[in-house]
Amino acid sequence: MDFVTLGEDEFTYGTITQVVPGVQRVIAKNPSKFTYQGTGTYIIGDRDVAVIDPGPQIDSHRDALAVALEGRKVRSILVTHCHADHSPLAAWLAAETGAPTHAFGPHAAAVAAWDIGSLPDDFGRAPEPAPGSNEAEAAAKEPKVEESTDMDFVPDVVVRTGDVVFERPGIEMRALHTPGHTSNHSCFSLASAGAGRVLFTGDHVMGWSTTVVSPPDGDMGAYMDSLRLVAGRADDLAF
Ligand SMILES: [Zn+2]
């Protein structure tokens, strides 16, 4: 399978790009070590559409999505997981369109019943440097090492592997639970005449780097199992 990364001069923030027939992408202007050039929001379909990962709470991205979706009917909002670059605009889009949000569940730490134990607050963090020291100045310039989480997201529709999440004539999308990056991470598959078999992999498989598996609910064993699950599929293409 070809591995293609997106160069800086190969896209423009906020524009709608047709990536394969029936699939469009809008890239948010939130470049970082976790998002590469920025988070991709995908729009599936023509007039009646599904939107995957509405994205971060950034005005320019929200406005770009509003333009991209003008005159179209959003039927389904699909959320791969609850990191702050993927799910926050789902609440806005659901309110604007009345479309239901679909996901495996809220972020695990937001669900008391999923007791995953507790870690000390400083788990995985280097000791704090003394204020005013060279180390403290250097640390202030370092990017944050964790992805922030959207704890407010609760899906309207809870989905499990195999559940149909969007259906139009000639288009079928299903959920695929892929825990590891987070415990509630799902990929979404698309089968359509125009696009073939496409898997939207969220942060489980990225086009430019391996993903991060971090506390509290990232799980390396689950991640490896989820990689095998995706590798064993017969998709033509992954985004
Ligand atoms: Zn993530």
Side-chain angles (χ1 to χ4, degrees), residues 7-22:
E8 249 173 81
D9 51 354
E10 292 175 296
F11 73 98
T12 309
Y13 289 116
T15 59
I16 310 153
T17 304
Q18 179 104 355
V19 288
V20 289

PDB file of all heavy atoms in Angstrom, residues 7-22:
ATOM      1  N   GLY A   7       2.241  17.369   1.788  1.00  0.00           N
ATOM      2  CA  GLY A   7       3.212  18.446   1.925  1.00  0.00           C
ATOM      3  C   GLY A   7       2.538  19.781   2.175  1.00  0.00           C
ATOM      4  O   GLY A   7       1.351  19.946   1.886  1.00  0.00           O
ATOM      5  N   GLU A   8       3.314  20.730   2.705  1.00  0.00           N
ATOM      6  CA  GLU A   8       2.780  22.051   3.060  1.00  0.00           C
ATOM      7  C   GLU A   8       2.152  22.772   1.872  1.00  0.00           C
ATOM      8  O   GLU A   8       1.215  23.546   2.019  1.00  0.00           O
ATOM      9  CB  GLU A   8       3.911  22.919   3.614  1.00  0.00           C
ATOM     10  CG  GLU A   8       3.790  23.223   5.089  1.00  0.00           C
ATOM     11  CD  GLU A   8       5.022  23.941   5.585  1.00  0.00           C
ATOM     12  OE1 GLU A   8       5.077  25.154   5.380  1.00  0.00           O
ATOM     13  OE2 GLU A   8       5.926  23.278   6.149  1.00  0.00           O
ATOM     14  N   ASP A   9       2.716  22.535   0.672  1.00  0.00           N
ATOM     15  CA  ASP A   9       2.226  23.251  -0.513  1.00  0.00           C
ATOM     16  C   ASP A   9       1.148  22.461  -1.258  1.00  0.00           C
ATOM     17  O   ASP A   9       0.767  22.811  -2.362  1.00  0.00           O
ATOM     18  CB  ASP A   9       3.401  23.552  -1.457  1.00  0.00           C
ATOM     19  CG  ASP A   9       4.219  22.310  -1.749  1.00  0.00           C
ATOM     20  OD1 ASP A   9       3.953  21.258  -1.136  1.00  0.00           O
ATOM     21  OD2 ASP A   9       5.139  22.381  -2.591  1.00  0.00           O
ATOM     22  N   GLU A  10       0.647  21.388  -0.646  1.00  0.00           N
ATOM     23  CA  GLU A  10      -0.315  20.529  -1.343  1.00  0.00           C
ATOM     24  C   GLU A  10      -1.754  20.717  -0.873  1.00  0.00           C
ATOM     25  O   GLU A  10      -2.634  19.952  -1.226  1.00  0.00           O
ATOM     26  CB  GLU A  10       0.091  19.063  -1.177  1.00  0.00           C
ATOM     27  CG  GLU A  10       1.370  18.728  -1.916  1.00  0.00           C
ATOM     28  CD  GLU A  10       1.840  17.308  -1.642  1.00  0.00           C
ATOM     29  OE1 GLU A  10       2.164  17.012  -0.488  1.00  0.00           O
ATOM     30  OE2 GLU A  10       1.870  16.518  -2.580  1.00  0.00           O
ATOM     31  N   PHE A  11      -1.992  21.722  -0.029  1.00  0.00           N
ATOM     32  CA  PHE A  11      -3.358  21.970   0.434  1.00  0.00           C
ATOM     33  C   PHE A  11      -3.433  23.405   0.926  1.00  0.00           C
ATOM     34  O   PHE A  11      -2.410  24.061   1.130  1.00  0.00           O
ATOM     35  CB  PHE A  11      -3.728  21.018   1.579  1.00  0.00           C
ATOM     36  CG  PHE A  11      -3.051  21.375   2.871  1.00  0.00           C
ATOM     37  CD1 PHE A  11      -3.733  22.106   3.839  1.00  0.00           C
ATOM     38  CD2 PHE A  11      -1.736  21.040   3.101  1.00  0.00           C
ATOM     39  CE1 PHE A  11      -3.098  22.484   5.015  1.00  0.00           C
ATOM     40  CE2 PHE A  11      -1.099  21.422   4.265  1.00  0.00           C
ATOM     41  CZ  PHE A  11      -1.782  22.133   5.227  1.00  0.00           C
ATOM     42  N   THR A  12      -4.667  23.888   1.104  1.00  0.00           N
ATOM     43  CA  THR A  12      -4.896  25.210   1.689  1.00  0.00           C
ATOM     44  C   THR A  12      -5.892  25.031   2.825  1.00  0.00           C
ATOM     45  O   THR A  12      -6.911  24.349   2.656  1.00  0.00           O
ATOM     46  CB  THR A  12      -5.492  26.181   0.648  1.00  0.00           C
ATOM     47  OG1 THR A  12      -4.671  26.143  -0.523  1.00  0.00           O
ATOM     48  CG2 THR A  12      -5.545  27.595   1.191  1.00  0.00           C
ATOM     49  N   TYR A  13      -5.589  25.617   3.982  1.00  0.00           N
ATOM     50  CA  TYR A  13      -6.504  25.516   5.122  1.00  0.00           C
ATOM     51  C   TYR A  13      -7.882  26.046   4.743  1.00  0.00           C
ATOM     52  O   TYR A  13      -8.001  27.082   4.070  1.00  0.00           O
ATOM     53  CB  TYR A  13      -5.969  26.316   6.316  1.00  0.00           C
ATOM     54  CG  TYR A  13      -4.749  25.693   6.956  1.00  0.00           C
ATOM     55  CD1 TYR A  13      -3.525  26.351   6.956  1.00  0.00           C
ATOM     56  CD2 TYR A  13      -4.825  24.443   7.551  1.00  0.00           C
ATOM     57  CE1 TYR A  13      -2.405  25.778   7.534  1.00  0.00           C
ATOM     58  CE2 TYR A  13      -3.703  23.856   8.121  1.00  0.00           C
ATOM     59  CZ  TYR A  13      -2.499  24.520   8.118  1.00  0.00           C
ATOM     60  OH  TYR A  13      -1.400  23.942   8.684  1.00  0.00           O
ATOM     61  N   GLY A  14      -8.915  25.329   5.193  1.00  0.00           N
ATOM     62  CA  GLY A  14     -10.276  25.831   5.046  1.00  0.00           C
ATOM     63  C   GLY A  14     -10.906  25.611   3.685  1.00  0.00           C
ATOM     64  O   GLY A  14     -12.076  25.935   3.495  1.00  0.00           O
ATOM     65  N   THR A  15     -10.173  25.059   2.736  1.00  0.00           N
ATOM     66  CA  THR A  15     -10.785  24.800   1.428  1.00  0.00           C
ATOM     67  C   THR A  15     -11.303  23.360   1.385  1.00  0.00           C
ATOM     68  O   THR A  15     -10.819  22.484   2.096  1.00  0.00           O
ATOM     69  CB  THR A  15      -9.791  25.004   0.271  1.00  0.00           C
ATOM     70  OG1 THR A  15      -8.681  24.130   0.467  1.00  0.00           O
ATOM     71  CG2 THR A  15      -9.295  26.434   0.215  1.00  0.00           C
ATOM     72  N   ILE A  16     -12.292  23.154   0.526  1.00  0.00           N
ATOM     73  CA  ILE A  16     -12.896  21.821   0.399  1.00  0.00           C
ATOM     74  C   ILE A  16     -12.175  21.099  -0.724  1.00  0.00           C
ATOM     75  O   ILE A  16     -12.148  21.583  -1.856  1.00  0.00           O
ATOM     76  CB  ILE A  16     -14.387  21.946   0.036  1.00  0.00           C
ATOM     77  CG1 ILE A  16     -15.082  22.921   0.991  1.00  0.00           C
ATOM     78  CG2 ILE A  16     -15.061  20.588   0.047  1.00  0.00           C
ATOM     79  CD1 ILE A  16     -16.274  23.594   0.370  1.00  0.00           C
ATOM     80  N   THR A  17     -11.600  19.957  -0.406  1.00  0.00           N
ATOM     81  CA  THR A  17     -10.875  19.183  -1.418  1.00  0.00           C
ATOM     82  C   THR A  17     -11.544  17.834  -1.606  1.00  0.00           C
ATOM     83  O   THR A  17     -11.807  17.126  -0.638  1.00  0.00           O
ATOM     84  CB  THR A  17      -9.416  18.953  -0.969  1.00  0.00           C
ATOM     85  OG1 THR A  17      -8.829  20.222  -0.703  1.00  0.00           O
ATOM     86  CG2 THR A  17      -8.612  18.239  -2.040  1.00  0.00           C
ATOM     87  N   GLN A  18     -11.811  17.500  -2.868  1.00  0.00           N
ATOM     88  CA  GLN A  18     -12.343  16.172  -3.180  1.00  0.00           C
ATOM     89  C   GLN A  18     -11.158  15.216  -3.188  1.00  0.00           C
ATOM     90  O   GLN A  18     -10.263  15.350  -4.013  1.00  0.00           O
ATOM     91  CB  GLN A  18     -13.016  16.222  -4.558  1.00  0.00           C
ATOM     92  CG  GLN A  18     -13.586  14.915  -5.007  1.00  0.00           C
ATOM     93  CD  GLN A  18     -15.106  14.883  -4.880  1.00  0.00           C
ATOM     94  OE1 GLN A  18     -15.727  15.807  -4.364  1.00  0.00           O
ATOM     95  NE2 GLN A  18     -15.700  13.820  -5.342  1.00  0.00           N
ATOM     96  N   VAL A  19     -11.111  14.238  -2.257  1.00  0.00           N
ATOM     97  CA  VAL A  19      -9.946  13.351  -2.196  1.00  0.00           C
ATOM     98  C   VAL A  19     -10.154  12.073  -2.995  1.00  0.00           C
ATOM     99  O   VAL A  19      -9.203  11.541  -3.577  1.00  0.00           O
ATOM    100  CB  VAL A  19      -9.536  13.047  -0.733  1.00  0.00           C
ATOM    101  CG1 VAL A  19      -8.913  14.285  -0.103  1.00  0.00           C
ATOM    102  CG2 VAL A  19     -10.695  12.548   0.101  1.00  0.00           C
ATOM    103  N   VAL A  20     -11.361  11.548  -3.016  1.00  0.00           N
ATOM    104  CA  VAL A  20     -11.781  10.477  -3.939  1.00  0.00           C
ATOM    105  C   VAL A  20     -13.253  10.765  -4.232  1.00  0.00           C
ATOM    106  O   VAL A  20     -13.870  11.551  -3.502  1.00  0.00           O
ATOM    107  CB  VAL A  20     -11.608   9.042  -3.338  1.00  0.00           C
ATOM    108  CG1 VAL A  20     -10.148   8.656  -3.233  1.00  0.00           C
ATOM    109  CG2 VAL A  20     -12.312   8.899  -1.998  1.00  0.00           C
ATOM    110  N   PRO A  21     -13.828  10.157  -5.265  1.00  0.00           N
ATOM    111  CA  PRO A  21     -15.224  10.464  -5.566  1.00  0.00           C
ATOM    112  C   PRO A  21     -16.132  10.251  -4.348  1.00  0.00           C
ATOM    113  O   PRO A  21     -16.082   9.210  -3.692  1.00  0.00           O
ATOM    114  CB  PRO A  21     -15.565   9.471  -6.692  1.00  0.00           C
ATOM    115  CG  PRO A  21     -14.257   9.246  -7.385  1.00  0.00           C
ATOM    116  CD  PRO A  21     -13.236   9.264  -6.279  1.00  0.00           C
ATOM    117  N   GLY A  22     -16.918  11.268  -4.022  1.00  0.00           N
ATOM    118  CA  GLY A  22     -17.857  11.155  -2.901  1.00  0.00           C
ATOM    119  C   GLY A  22     -17.244  11.400  -1.541  1.00  0.00           C
ATOM    120  O   GLY A  22     -17.918  11.223  -0.523  1.00  0.00           O
TER     121      GLY A  22
END
